[in-house]
Amino acid sequence: MMIPSSTKRIDQFLLMHSARFDEWRGVVIQAENRADGAATRSALEVAVEALAATEGFFAFPGPALLAVLRERIASDDAAGAAKLARRISNALLSRSFHARESDWEADEAGSEEVADVLPPALGEAHAHRPYFEVLMVTSQPAARWPVLANELRRLRRPEDAFIYKPVFVGSFEDAFCAAAINPAIAAVVLAEGFPYRSRHDAPVLRAVLDPLGVPDSHDASALRLSYVLKRVRPELDVYLLSERDVETLAGNPAAAAIRRIFYAVEEMMEVHLSILEGIAARYETPFFDNLKRYARRPIGTFHALPIARGKSVFKSDWIRDMGEFYGLNLFLAESSATTGGLDSLLEPTGNIKKAQDLAARAFGADHVFFVTNGTSTSNKMAVQALLAPGDIAIVDRNCHKSHHYGMVLCGAQPLYVEAFPMTAYSMYGAVPLATIKTAMLKLRSEGRLDRLKLLDLTNCTFDGHMYNVRRVMEECLAIKPDLIFLWDEAWSGFARFSPFLRPRTAMGAAEDIEEWLRNPASIEAYEAQHRALGEAPSDEALLEARLIPDPRAVRLRVYQTNSTHKSMSAIRQGSMLLVKDMDFRKVEAQFHEAVFTHASTSPNQQLIASLDVARRQMELEGYGLVMNAIEIALKIRSAINSHPMISKYFRVLDVQDMIPDAYRTSELRGFFEPGTNWSTLREAMLEDEFYLDPTRMTLVCGTAGFDGTQFKGILANDFGIQVNKTSRNSVLLQSNINNTRSDVAHLVRVLVEICDGIESRLASGGESERDAFKARVKALMEDVPDLPNFSRFHDVFRNDAGKETIEGDIRGGFFAAYDEAGCEHVPLFGSECDRRLREGPEMVSANFVIPYPPGFPIMVPGQVLTQETIDFMRKLDVKEIHGYERTRGLKLLLPEKIAAKAGR
C-alpha cells in the first residue's frame, strides 16, 4: 500500500479491502520463508511495516497482536512469527475473530469454543451475536487507548444483543480514513479536541482522502467531522462527547448528523447502551420478525390457502418432496389473512408500514412502497399515479416496456427522446441533456409546457450508463420548476451505499439539491445567471448554458423505482418505489389508487420479508458489500483485458468505448488507462454528463466469432456461468454483492479454455477455417445494422400535439388494435412491404415490437414505420422478438381504419 503519490492509480482505494488480505498473505509467505531460511529478517519487517498505516483502522488484529508479531520478528523467533502471522491471516479471511475470543490472543492456549452466544430472544437462526466495530475519535494519547478499550470491554453484558470492538484514532484525517477503509465500522463516537492531521505520514492516506474529496483544512471540529462522515457513509450512527454547553450544542443545526450528544464527564454505560440501541434500530425487521413469530404460533386455517401450515404438503405421498426441498418454515409462514398481526400490503398500518418507513430512512426517501410484482409494476404504479389522460411525459424511447405500457394505461402522451447510439454493439447509451432541454424548450415555444408533467429516464441503463442526475434535474427545473422526475433505477438500487455512486442516484441527487436549496448562496447563484442571460434569453442561449433553477420556485418532486432483487438480497420480483416529493400530498390518494390497481390482494409474504431483510443488510453491511462488488468488477476488467490469450479474442469495454468524448469533459478514458488518477476519476464522477458504473461489464464476444445469444448459451450450458443480457456481439457481466474472487478465477479459467479451443480449431482447420472465422467476426463486428430512431406517431394519433414535437396518443393506437378486423399483417420480407414504403399507404404499427436483444421497442402502437425501422428488423438475427409473428408478419392498422378515424 505504500505507493508514491505520483503513481496513484484509481484502483488503489477501490481494491483496498482485498489488497489487505493479499498483503497479509504476503506477510505469511515472507514469515514462512524466513522460518525456512529463504528470506531475510529485514524483508519480513518491511512487509509488516507496509501494513502499519492502515492496520490501525481495524480492531483485529489490533495493536497488541501486532506488537507481539513485531517482537517475535525482532527476537528472531521465525517459527513463532510465521505461526502468528498465519493465524492472523486465516482469522481475517474466515472472519472467525468475530466470535472466537482465542483469535485475539497471541497463543493458541485459549479455548477454541465460540463465546458470546446470541440470547434466545433474538432468534435461533444465529449462532453468535452479530459483530461490528465502533470508531472512537479521541484526543487522548495513544498510550491510553488500551486502557479505554478495557473500560469499554467491562461494559459488555450477557444480555447485550450485539458485540463490538473499538477502533481508536486521534485525528480528523485518521477518522475519515478508518470509516472509508473499514466497512465493519457501524458507529462513531467523537470526543472533542482532536487535531486535523494524521499521526501517520503515509501516501496511502492521501489515496483515501483524495478520491472522496476531503479538502485540506484546519477545521477539525467534531461537528464538521460528523457531517463529512455522514456524507460518505450516511448509515453510520454518530455520537458526540462534549465538555461544552451540550444543551446549546444540541440545538445547533450543524448537529443534525449526530444521533445523540453526551456530556463528556458522564459515565460511559449510556454511550455503550446507545451504540447498541442504534444498531438495534437498523437490525430490526418489523415484518420479518413478526412473520417468524407468526410461524411459531398454532393456527387454525379456514381461509383460501391450503398450502398454509404445510399439512397438505407433508401429509401427501405425492408432493412431500416439495416440502422437504423448501423446508417447513416456508409453509408455516404462509397465510392469505392480513389479521393476526401480519398487516396488509394494500393499506399497511402495522409492521409493513414500519418496515417501509425503515426502508425510507435507509434509502434517503420520504416514503417507500414495497412491491411484490417486480419493478415493472413499480413503474406502472408511478406512471399511473403521476399522469392523467392528455398529460405529456418526456420518455426515453429505450426504457423498459413497463413505462410504455404505463403510458397506455393512463392515457398520457409520451414524447419520445433518443439515447445516443452505440451502433457497433447494437445498443443505446443514455439520453443527452441537450436532447431533453430541446424537447422542453419546443413545448415552451408552442405554449404547451404546462402540459408537460414528467421526465421518465432509466438510470443506470442496462449497460451501466449513469446520468449526472443532479445536473439533469437542476437544468430541467430551471425551465419548468414543478417538473416531476421518475428515475428507473432497477439495476442500481445498491448504488445508494457507495459514496462513488450515490451522487448519481435519484435520492442521492435529491438530497444534494435539497441542501443547495436551503443555502442562501443558491439564490445569489440564480440571480447572477439571470442577470447574465437577460430577461428573455433565446433557446440557443438556454441550451448552451448550464442552467440554475430559481430556488424560490422549485418544487422538488423525485421518484425512484428500485429492483431490490436485482442488486440486493431480496427474492425475485421484490421491488421498492421511493418517493421524495414536497408535494406528495397532492398525489397521495392517486398513489393509493395505483397500489389498489396493481398490487395483488394476495402478496407473497416471503417477498415482503425479503425486502425487509435486504434493507437491514444494506444498512448494516451494504458499504462493504458494494465496495466488494466494485473490487470484483475491477479485477475482472484487469484480468480479461491484460491476459495475453484472452485479450486476443475478448475484451471488456472501457469508459471511452461506452461513452463518447462529447459527454466526458473530464477526458476519463478508462479505469486503468495510463495517466488516469484520482483527480481524473473524481472530476468524471462529479462533472461528466454520463458515468460508467464499474460493476457492469460489456464483454465483447464477436471478436471470438460468437454472437451474444450464442455465447450466453455456451457459458450457461457448458460452464455453468449465467448472464442475462446480450447484444449482437457482446454479453453483459455484472458483479454484485454475491460475488467472490473465486468467481473471478472461474470466469478467467473458462475464458482461457474457450480461447484454447478457438486456437486449436484455427490451427487444425487450415486456411478455410481461418477464412470462415474472419468472415464471422467481420459479420458480427463490422456488418452491423444501424439503430433506428423513433419515427413519429401517425397524425390520427397526434391529437392536439404541436408542430415541433412528436408526442402522440399511444393509448389510442394500442386499443385500436383490439378490433382484429381493423388490422392486417404484412410480411417483413417481401415486395408488399417495400411497395408500401415507396408508395404508401403508410404502415402504422398496431402493437409493440420488442426484439431481445437489444430489448427496447422499435415499434409502438400508432407509430409510422420507416425504411430505417424495416432495415433494422430485417438485419436482426435474434430468436426472441416480442409482438412479432414470423409466419404472419408485421401487425398493422388497416389504412381504411386509419382513414375512417381521420375523417371523424
Side-chain angles (χ1 to χ4, degrees):
M1 287 189 183
M2 300 290 287
I3 303 173
S5 58
S6 61
T7 62
K8 286 185 294 185
R9 291 188 353 179
I10 64 171
D11 57 324
Q12 271 186 52
F13 175 72
L14 295 175
L15 297 180
M16 198 166 283
H17 299 108
S18 59
R20 184 186 182 216
F21 300 136
D22 291 342
E23 288 171 357
W24 268 107
R25 292 303 302 167
V27 167
V28 171
I29 292 170
Q30 289 284 359
E32 291 177 341
N33 288 341
R34 173 62 179 159
D36 294 337
T40 65
R41 187 176 76 182
S42 61
L44 177 55
E45 288 173 337
V46 168
V48 171
E49 291 310 311
L51 294 165
T54 54
E55 281 305 304
F57 301 146
F58 299 88
F60 184 84
L65 276 183
L66 284 175
V68 173
L69 180 61
R70 286 191 178 102
E71 181 182 333
R72 290 182 180 180
I73 295 171
S75 63
D76 259 345
D77 181 5
K83 185 176 182 181
L84 180 55
R86 191 183 313 112
R87 285 184 57 232
I88 292 172
S89 179
N90 290 342
L92 286 171
L93 287 171
S94 67
R95 301 196 300 176
S96 61
F97 68 92
H98 286 190
R100 194 161 60 197
E101 287 295 322
S102 59
D103 283 345
W104 298 77
E105 304 298 329
D107 298 311
E108 293 181 286
S111 170
E112 290 297 314
E113 295 181 4
V114 174
D116 302 309
V117 177
L118 185 71
L122 281 178
E124 298 80 4
H126 296 274
H128 317 293
R129 287 188 271 191
Y131 169 93
F132 65 98
E133 296 179 6
V134 176
L135 179 63
M136 313 292 292
V137 189
T138 177
S139 60
Q140 295 283 333
R144 284 270 303 158
W145 295 353
V147 176
L148 296 174
N150 286 331
E151 291 178 1
L152 287 170
R153 181 179 176 81
R154 284 197 293 270
L155 297 175
R156 287 161 52 178
R157 302 172 302 155
E159 57 265 39
D160 288 345
F162 314 99
I163 187 168
Y164 66 85
K165 297 282 187 176
V167 175
F168 287 92
V169 296
S171 71
F172 186 110
E173 286 188 334
D174 285 339
F176 184 87
C177 289
I181 291 174
N182 184 355
I185 290 173
V188 183
V189 177
L190 308 177
E192 292 184 310
F194 48 82
Y196 183 84
R197 283 290 178 210
S198 169
R199 63 192 179 95
H200 301 287
D201 182 19
V204 69
L205 300 180
R206 299 264 68 81
V208 178
L209 295 167
D210 291 349
L212 291 170
V214 179
D216 192 357
S217 172
H218 297 294
D219 181 4
S221 69
L223 290 181
R224 178 170 179 268
L225 178 57
S226 67
Y227 171 80
V228 171
L229 290 177
K230 293 287 280 187
R231 290 285 295 176
V232 176
R233 295 186 58 184
E235 77 280 6
L236 291 177
D237 295 324
V238 181
Y239 304 91
L240 175 60
L241 307 181
S242 176
E243 295 179 353
R244 293 190 284 161
D245 183 352
V246 292
E247 296 84 1
T248 302
L249 187 60
N252 189 333
I258 297 174
R259 182 180 176 91
R260 188 170 174 186
I261 299 174
F262 295 92
Y263 190 58
V265 298
E266 294 178 342
E267 62 177 286
M268 286 295 293
M269 177 56 78
E270 290 299 319
V271 177
H272 169 75
L273 294 176
S274 295
I275 290 170
L276 296 179
E277 181 186 52
I279 298 300
R282 281 182 272 164
Y283 188 84
E284 180 186 12
T285 43
F287 183 79
F288 179 54
D289 294 342
N290 192 65
L291 194 63
K292 288 188 292 183
R293 288 191 293 269
Y294 173 84
R296 290 195 290 264
R297 294 171 54 197
I299 302 291
T301 58
F302 295 93
H303 54 64
L305 194 65
I307 205 170
R309 315 307 290 177
K311 287 177 280 189
S312 69
V313 176
F314 288 97
K315 290 182 179 295
S316 170
D317 288 335
W318 303 99
I319 64 170
R320 186 183 301 143
D321 58 332
M322 182 176 76
E324 293 168 350
F325 180 77
Y326 285 110
L328 179 60
N329 278 338
L330 177 70
F331 304 97
L332 291 177
E334 274 291 7
S335 175
S336 70
T338 59
T339 56
L342 287 180
D343 206 3
S344 165
L345 186 62
L346 293 177
E347 288 190 295
T349 58
N351 49 74
I352 292 180
K353 176 65 168 62
K354 188 173 182 180
Q356 291 182 155
D357 290 343
L358 294 180
R361 176 192 68 193
F363 288 92
D366 296 332
H367 311 278
V368 163
F369 294 89
F370 285 175
V371 180
T372 59
N373 312 66
T375 301
S376 295
T377 298
S378 295
N379 291 331
K380 286 180 280 191
M381 284 170 53
V383 169
Q384 175 180 319
L386 297 170
L387 295 173
D391 287 344
I392 297 174
I394 295 177
V395 186
D396 177 3
R397 197 257 309 192
N398 309 296
C399 64
H400 189 265
K401 64 180 182 179
S402 57
H403 296 270
H404 304 274
Y405 281 109
M407 301 292 162
V408 169
L409 292 173
C410 72
Q413 297 186 15
L415 197 171
Y416 288 124
V417 287
E418 297 289 345
F420 65 80
M422 301 172 62
T423 307
Y425 308 106
S426 295
M427 64 177 72
Y428 280 92
V431 182
L433 178 54
T435 302
I436 298 168
K437 290 169 65 177
T438 297
M440 293 183 69
L441 292 171
K442 285 182 178 180
L443 287 171
R444 190 181 73 163
S445 68
E446 294 179 348
R448 295 185 302 119
L449 188 61
D450 61 306
R451 287 180 52 191
L452 174 63
K453 294 298 194 301
L454 181 73
L455 174 63
D456 189 348
L457 298 173
T458 303
N459 181 57
C460 71
T461 67
F462 217 145
D463 304 290
H465 300 94
M466 301 186 81
Y467 285 84
N468 190 328
V469 180
R470 176 174 179 176
R471 180 178 177 184
V472 170
M473 293 199 292
E474 286 182 339
E475 294 216 40
C476 290
L477 289 170
I479 301 172
K480 191 174 196 300
D482 62 347
L483 184 65
I484 306 171
F485 301 90
L486 173 57
W487 297 93
D488 181 346
E489 299 190 4
W491 296 97
S492 57
F494 71 96
R496 167 73 186 177
F497 301 93
S498 167
F500 301 100
L501 302 177
R502 187 184 310 115
R504 287 186 174 255
T505 67
M507 293 298 114
E511 286 176 336
D512 290 340
I513 293 175
E514 277 185 330
E515 183 176 342
W516 179 81
L517 292 173
R518 291 191 295 265
N519 189 336
S522 62
I523 297 177
E524 298 174 9
Y526 167 75
E527 294 288 359
Q529 183 174 79
H530 182 69
R531 289 191 296 272
L533 291 174
E535 287 298 326
S538 66
D539 287 356
E540 291 75 15
L542 294 175
L543 281 172
E544 292 177 4
R546 183 166 183 166
L547 299 179
I548 299 173
D550 184 348
R552 296 159 296 193
V554 165
R555 308 301 298 171
L556 188 61
R557 311 187 66 187
V558 185
Y559 293 79
Q560 172 190 329
T561 54
N562 167 341
S563 282
T564 319
H565 70 100
K566 283 187 170 72
S567 62
M568 289 167 271
S569 300
I571 296 173
R572 189 179 179 94
Q573 290 199 333
S575 175
M576 295 185 193
L577 174 54
L578 283 59
V579 179
K580 184 176 280 294
D581 181 355
M582 61 174 58
D583 290 333
F584 183 66
R585 288 187 178 277
K586 295 181 179 180
V587 295
E588 187 171 9
Q590 297 159 215
F591 254 93
H592 290 305
E593 289 295 335
V595 171
F596 296 152
T597 301
H598 295 282
S600 170
T601 54
S602 301
N604 186 295
Q605 308 278 32
Q606 321 316 320
L607 269 175
I608 302 171
S610 75
L611 290 170
D612 202 8
V613 171
R615 186 276 311 160
R616 176 214 280 176
Q617 181 181 39
M618 298 308 288
E619 271 203 298
L620 288 167
E621 57 178 340
Y623 176 78
L625 291 173
V626 176
M627 190 64 74
N628 178 71
I630 295 174
E631 289 179 355
I632 293 295
L634 290 176
K635 287 184 179 297
I636 290 173
R637 290 174 180 275
S638 177
I640 291 175
N641 290 350
S642 64
H643 193 283
M645 172 69 78
I646 298 175
S647 60
K648 287 175 63 178
Y649 300 102
F650 300 95
R651 70 186 179 101
V652 177
L653 297 183
D654 218 327
V655 176
Q656 61 186 328
D657 305 302
M658 299 293 291
I659 302 174
D661 292 350
Y663 307 117
R664 290 184 284 110
T665 57
S666 68
E667 299 182 356
L668 174 67
R669 296 177 59 81
F671 292 108
F672 298 102
E673 191 76 12
T676 297
N677 54 36
W678 269 117
S679 61
T680 310
L681 187 67
R682 178 164 174 75
E683 182 184 354
M685 290 187 289
L686 293 177
E687 299 297 333
D688 281 0
E689 184 164 347
F690 302 113
Y691 180 73
L692 185 63
D693 174 4
T695 68
R696 309 187 70 76
M697 298 154 282
T698 298
L699 177 68
V700 176
C701 56
T703 44
F706 303 114
D707 65 60
T709 302
Q710 177 189 13
F711 192 60
K712 174 183 176 179
I714 291 172
L715 290 176
N717 299 328
D718 297 346
F719 300 101
I721 292 177
Q722 297 179 343
V723 299
N724 68 345
K725 193 268 183 184
T726 66
S727 78
R728 177 181 177 87
N729 49 29
S730 72
V731 298
L732 181 71
L733 306 175
Q734 298 171 239
S735 63
N736 56 50
I737 65 172
N738 186 58
N739 288 123
T740 65
R741 294 176 68 182
S742 298
D743 296 329
V744 180
H746 179 48
L747 175 65
V748 171
R749 185 63 256 165
V750 164
L751 292 177
V752 168
E753 185 174 336
I754 292 172
C755 291
D756 284 341
I758 296 172
E759 294 265 288
S760 178
R761 289 196 305 273
L762 294 178
S764 62
E767 194 66 30
S768 61
E769 179 69 26
R770 290 189 288 274
D771 288 344
F773 179 79
K774 290 178 182 178
R776 175 66 171 162
V777 171
K778 182 177 184 297
L780 289 170
M781 300 302 300
E782 297 179 25
D783 301 336
V784 293
D786 289 331
L787 295 173
N789 288 333
F790 179 77
S791 54
R792 61 182 176 87
F793 286 102
H794 192 280
D795 288 345
V796 300
F797 300 112
R798 293 271 289 154
N799 296 339
D800 56 350
K803 296 180 180 179
E804 297 296 323
T805 54
I806 59 171
E807 74 274 12
D809 176 19
I810 193 171
R811 179 185 176 92
F814 182 87
F815 285 106
Y818 273 39
D819 177 12
E820 193 64 30
C823 297
E824 63 175 333
H825 286 83
V826 172
L828 176 64
F829 297 92
S831 59
E832 176 61 12
C833 184
D834 293 330
R835 185 191 68 77
R836 293 277 293 271
L837 287 172
R838 289 193 313 270
E839 303 172 8
E842 291 178 321
M843 295 188 289
V844 180
S845 180
N847 61 348
F848 288 101
V849 176
I850 308 174
Y852 284 85
F856 58 84
I858 61 171
M859 301 178 193
V860 305
Q863 177 184 345
V864 175
L865 304 188
T866 62
Q867 187 73 56
E868 182 185 34
T869 305
I870 297 301
D871 288 346
F872 182 80
M873 277 286 290
R874 287 174 171 174
K875 291 182 180 179
L876 282 174
D877 55 1
V878 300
K879 298 178 181 178
E880 185 178 355
I881 305 179
H882 297 182
Y884 172 68
E885 298 180 58
R886 296 178 189 274
T887 56
R888 303 183 70 187
L890 302 168
K891 185 176 182 180
L892 308 174
L893 296 176
L894 274 173
E896 297 81 20
K897 186 168 184 178
I898 295 290
K901 184 175 176 63
R904 289 197 300 272

